[in-house]
Amino acid sequence: MLHGMAVLRGLLVLQGAFGLTSTLGVLTLMGFNPVYAVAPVAHAALLMTLGALLERRRWALVTTIVAEVLAVAGWQLQLALGLLPQLDFTVNLTGLLTTLALPVTVLVLCARRVTARA
């Protein structure tokens, strides 16, 4: 069981690091306006904090599930809005891995962990 938590912690840290890296790109494109960094930095801090608390707190698992469900729902919303001619959403391999595959993997591992504890 300990190895599964280490994998979950690593995936959450990886997901947070990807978010921080993409935030640097957004800040560069937006003229280094710090307003664009507030939400991504808060999300990365939440993911890394949850990763640290997974072993000791059951609510951390549930909060991680909620955060990942919201991430997947956000990706689906972007995909749906991308169908509008005025908006553009390009699906690429990096986006699929970081905004869909990684959250779904964390979601499945956390759901298994929650059901195993119940």
Side-chain angles (χ1 to χ4, degrees):
M1 269 210 184
L2 184 59
H3 297 297
M5 285 297 188
V7 169
L8 264 174
R9 187 179 317 111
L11 290 175
L12 285 170
V13 169
L14 185 66
Q15 190 175 359
F18 282 146
L20 290 175
T21 304
S22 66
T23 301
L24 292 175
V26 169
L27 283 175
T28 303
L29 292 173
M30 296 299 175
F32 297 101
N33 188 347
V35 172
Y36 293 98
V38 173
V41 169
H43 185 251
L46 173 72
L47 291 175
M48 292 181 187
T49 302
L50 289 172
L53 296 173
L54 281 177
E55 286 183 57
R56 296 175 296 225
R57 305 282 186 232
R58 181 178 169 85
W59 62 262
L61 281 170
V62 175
T63 306
T64 303
I65 290 172
V66 170
E68 299 301 354
V69 165
L70 290 174
V72 172
W75 185 85
Q76 290 174 341
L77 181 63
Q78 282 182 332
L79 187 63
L81 289 175
L83 296 175
L84 296 173
Q86 301 90 343
L87 301 175
D88 184 32
F89 179 64
T90 305
V91 178
N92 56 31
L93 184 59
T94 303
L96 282 174
L97 288 174
T98 58
T99 60
L100 187 63
L102 192 55
V104 167
T105 303
V106 171
L107 179 63
V108 167
L109 290 174
C110 284
R112 283 185 184 172
R113 193 64 63 183
V114 166
T115 56
R117 283 188 181 182

